[in-house]
Short mmCIF file of all heavy atoms in Angstrom, two decimals:
data_model
loop_
_atom_site.label_atom_id
_atom_site.label_comp_id
_atom_site.label_asym_id
_atom_site.label_seq_id
_atom_site.Cartn_x
_atom_site.Cartn_y
_atom_site.Cartn_z
N LEU A 156 107.78 188.78 299.28
CA LEU A 156 106.69 188.30 298.43
C LEU A 156 107.18 187.45 297.27
O LEU A 156 106.39 186.81 296.60
CB LEU A 156 105.91 189.50 297.86
CG LEU A 156 105.33 190.46 298.88
CD1 LEU A 156 104.75 191.69 298.18
CD2 LEU A 156 104.29 189.77 299.75
N ASN A 157 108.50 187.42 297.03
CA ASN A 157 109.04 186.81 295.83
C ASN A 157 109.95 185.61 296.08
O ASN A 157 110.78 185.28 295.25
CB ASN A 157 109.80 187.87 295.03
CG ASN A 157 108.88 188.97 294.59
OD1 ASN A 157 108.06 188.79 293.70
ND2 ASN A 157 108.99 190.11 295.22
N TYR A 158 109.79 184.97 297.22
CA TYR A 158 110.52 183.72 297.48
C TYR A 158 109.74 182.92 298.50
O TYR A 158 108.95 183.46 299.28
CB TYR A 158 111.95 183.98 297.96
CG TYR A 158 112.07 184.33 299.42
CD1 TYR A 158 112.39 183.36 300.36
CD2 TYR A 158 111.88 185.63 299.86
CE1 TYR A 158 112.49 183.68 301.70
CE2 TYR A 158 111.98 185.95 301.20
CZ TYR A 158 112.29 184.97 302.12
OH TYR A 158 112.38 185.28 303.43
N ARG A 159 109.95 181.62 298.48
CA ARG A 159 109.33 180.75 299.49
C ARG A 159 110.19 180.79 300.73
O ARG A 159 111.39 180.55 300.66
CB ARG A 159 109.24 179.31 298.97
CG ARG A 159 108.28 179.12 297.82
CD ARG A 159 108.17 177.66 297.39
NE ARG A 159 109.47 177.10 297.02
CZ ARG A 159 110.09 176.11 297.68
NH1 ARG A 159 109.54 175.57 298.74
NH2 ARG A 159 111.25 175.66 297.28
N SER A 160 109.61 181.07 301.88
CA SER A 160 110.41 181.16 303.10
C SER A 160 111.11 179.85 303.42
O SER A 160 112.18 179.83 304.01
CB SER A 160 109.55 181.61 304.29
OG SER A 160 108.49 180.70 304.51
N SER A 161 110.54 178.73 302.99
CA SER A 161 111.18 177.43 303.22
C SER A 161 112.45 177.28 302.40
O SER A 161 113.30 176.46 302.72
CB SER A 161 110.21 176.30 302.88
OG SER A 161 109.86 176.34 301.51
N ALA A 162 112.63 178.10 301.35
CA ALA A 162 113.83 178.00 300.52
C ALA A 162 115.08 178.35 301.31
O ALA A 162 116.16 177.86 301.02
CB ALA A 162 113.71 178.93 299.31
N GLY A 163 114.96 179.21 302.33
CA GLY A 163 116.11 179.60 303.12
C GLY A 163 116.31 178.79 304.38
O GLY A 163 117.28 178.97 305.10
N ALA A 164 115.41 177.87 304.63
CA ALA A 164 115.50 177.08 305.86
C ALA A 164 116.73 176.18 305.85
O ALA A 164 117.02 175.52 304.87
CB ALA A 164 114.23 176.24 306.01
N GLY A 165 117.46 176.19 306.95
CA GLY A 165 118.60 175.31 307.11
C GLY A 165 119.86 175.73 306.37
O GLY A 165 120.85 175.04 306.39
N LYS A 166 119.85 176.88 305.73
CA LYS A 166 121.03 177.36 305.00
C LYS A 166 122.04 177.94 305.99
O LYS A 166 121.68 178.72 306.85
CB LYS A 166 120.66 178.42 303.97
CG LYS A 166 119.70 177.96 302.92
CD LYS A 166 120.37 176.99 301.98
CE LYS A 166 119.39 176.60 300.89
NZ LYS A 166 119.77 175.45 300.16
N VAL A 167 123.28 177.57 305.83
CA VAL A 167 124.33 178.12 306.69
C VAL A 167 124.88 179.40 306.09
O VAL A 167 125.09 180.38 306.76
CB VAL A 167 125.46 177.08 306.89
CG1 VAL A 167 126.60 177.68 307.68
CG2 VAL A 167 124.92 175.84 307.58
N GLU A 168 125.09 179.39 304.79
CA GLU A 168 125.65 180.55 304.09
C GLU A 168 124.53 181.38 303.47
O GLU A 168 123.76 180.89 302.66
CB GLU A 168 126.61 180.09 302.98
CG GLU A 168 127.87 179.44 303.48
CD GLU A 168 128.82 180.41 304.14
OE1 GLU A 168 128.83 181.60 303.78
OE2 GLU A 168 129.55 179.97 305.04
N HIS A 169 124.47 182.63 303.86
CA HIS A 169 123.54 183.55 303.22
C HIS A 169 124.24 184.15 302.01
O HIS A 169 125.44 184.40 302.04
CB HIS A 169 123.13 184.66 304.20
CG HIS A 169 122.40 184.13 305.40
ND1 HIS A 169 121.10 183.70 305.33
CD2 HIS A 169 122.79 183.98 306.68
CE1 HIS A 169 120.71 183.30 306.53
NE2 HIS A 169 121.72 183.44 307.37
N PRO A 170 123.50 184.40 300.92
CA PRO A 170 124.15 184.94 299.74
C PRO A 170 124.72 186.33 299.98
O PRO A 170 124.11 187.16 300.66
CB PRO A 170 123.03 184.98 298.69
CG PRO A 170 121.76 184.86 299.43
CD PRO A 170 122.07 184.18 300.72
N LEU A 171 125.91 186.55 299.44
CA LEU A 171 126.57 187.85 299.46
C LEU A 171 126.44 188.40 298.05
O LEU A 171 126.90 187.77 297.09
CB LEU A 171 128.04 187.71 299.86
CG LEU A 171 128.87 188.97 299.81
CD1 LEU A 171 128.32 190.04 300.75
CD2 LEU A 171 130.32 188.64 300.16
N VAL A 172 125.80 189.56 297.93
CA VAL A 172 125.38 190.06 296.63
C VAL A 172 125.77 191.52 296.45
O VAL A 172 125.65 192.32 297.38
CB VAL A 172 123.84 189.94 296.50
CG1 VAL A 172 123.35 190.44 295.16
CG2 VAL A 172 123.38 188.51 296.75
N THR A 173 126.21 191.87 295.24
CA THR A 173 126.41 193.26 294.86
C THR A 173 125.39 193.60 293.79
O THR A 173 125.29 192.90 292.79
CB THR A 173 127.83 193.52 294.32
OG1 THR A 173 128.76 193.27 295.37
CG2 THR A 173 127.99 194.96 293.85
N VAL A 174 124.63 194.67 294.05
CA VAL A 174 123.65 195.16 293.09
C VAL A 174 124.15 196.50 292.58
O VAL A 174 124.43 197.41 293.37
CB VAL A 174 122.25 195.31 293.73
CG1 VAL A 174 121.26 195.93 292.76
CG2 VAL A 174 121.75 193.95 294.21
N GLY A 175 124.27 196.64 291.25
CA GLY A 175 124.67 197.90 290.64
C GLY A 175 123.43 198.66 290.19
O GLY A 175 122.57 198.10 289.51
N ILE A 176 123.36 199.92 290.59
CA ILE A 176 122.22 200.77 290.23
C ILE A 176 122.73 202.00 289.50
O ILE A 176 123.65 202.67 289.97
CB ILE A 176 121.44 201.18 291.49
CG1 ILE A 176 120.95 199.93 292.23
CG2 ILE A 176 120.26 202.09 291.13
CD1 ILE A 176 120.31 200.22 293.57
N ARG A 177 122.13 202.27 288.34
CA ARG A 177 122.49 203.45 287.54
C ARG A 177 121.88 204.71 288.16
O ARG A 177 120.91 204.63 288.90
CB ARG A 177 122.00 203.29 286.11
CG ARG A 177 122.63 202.15 285.37
CD ARG A 177 122.12 202.08 283.92
NE ARG A 177 122.52 200.83 283.31
CZ ARG A 177 121.70 199.80 283.09
NH1 ARG A 177 120.42 199.88 283.39
NH2 ARG A 177 122.16 198.69 282.54
N SER A 178 122.42 205.85 287.79
CA SER A 178 121.98 207.12 288.38
C SER A 178 120.50 207.41 288.14
O SER A 178 119.87 208.10 288.92
CB SER A 178 122.83 208.28 287.86
OG SER A 178 122.71 208.40 286.46
N ASP A 179 119.92 206.83 287.08
CA ASP A 179 118.49 207.04 286.82
C ASP A 179 117.62 206.06 287.60
O ASP A 179 116.40 206.06 287.48
CB ASP A 179 118.19 206.94 285.33
CG ASP A 179 118.43 205.55 284.75
OD1 ASP A 179 118.88 204.64 285.47
OD2 ASP A 179 118.15 205.38 283.54
N GLY A 180 118.23 205.18 288.40
CA GLY A 180 117.50 204.21 289.20
C GLY A 180 117.34 202.85 288.55
O GLY A 180 116.84 201.92 289.17
N SER A 181 117.77 202.71 287.31
CA SER A 181 117.65 201.42 286.63
C SER A 181 118.72 200.45 287.13
O SER A 181 119.75 200.86 287.66
CB SER A 181 117.74 201.59 285.11
OG SER A 181 119.00 202.13 284.73
N LEU A 182 118.45 199.18 286.96
CA LEU A 182 119.34 198.12 287.43
C LEU A 182 120.48 197.91 286.43
O LEU A 182 120.23 197.69 285.25
CB LEU A 182 118.54 196.83 287.61
CG LEU A 182 119.27 195.64 288.20
CD1 LEU A 182 119.68 195.92 289.65
CD2 LEU A 182 118.37 194.41 288.14
N GLU A 183 121.70 197.98 286.90
CA GLU A 183 122.88 197.75 286.07
C GLU A 183 123.24 196.27 286.05
O GLU A 183 123.45 195.69 285.01
CB GLU A 183 124.06 198.58 286.61
CG GLU A 183 125.40 198.25 286.02
CD GLU A 183 125.68 198.91 284.69
OE1 GLU A 183 124.88 199.74 284.24
OE2 GLU A 183 126.72 198.61 284.11
N ASP A 184 123.34 195.67 287.26
CA ASP A 184 123.85 194.31 287.36
C ASP A 184 123.54 193.73 288.74
O ASP A 184 123.36 194.48 289.70
CB ASP A 184 125.37 194.34 287.15
CG ASP A 184 125.99 192.96 287.06
OD1 ASP A 184 125.32 192.03 286.58
OD2 ASP A 184 127.15 192.81 287.47
#
């Protein structure tokens, strides 16, 4: 719901991402 599907069209490299989550469920990084 939060991106345009056309934004990923034709991309060869998909983003590699690390998401840090704190023990209370909040976003660290």
Side-chain angles (χ1 to χ4, degrees):
L156 303 173
N157 298 287
Y158 80 97
R159 292 183 303 115
S160 59
S161 62
K166 300 289 183 196
V167 175
E168 292 290 330
H169 297 286
L171 175 61
V172 180
T173 297
V174 175
I176 302 173
R177 296 182 192 104
S178 61
D179 66 357
S181 62
L182 185 65
E183 169 82 6
D184 187 31

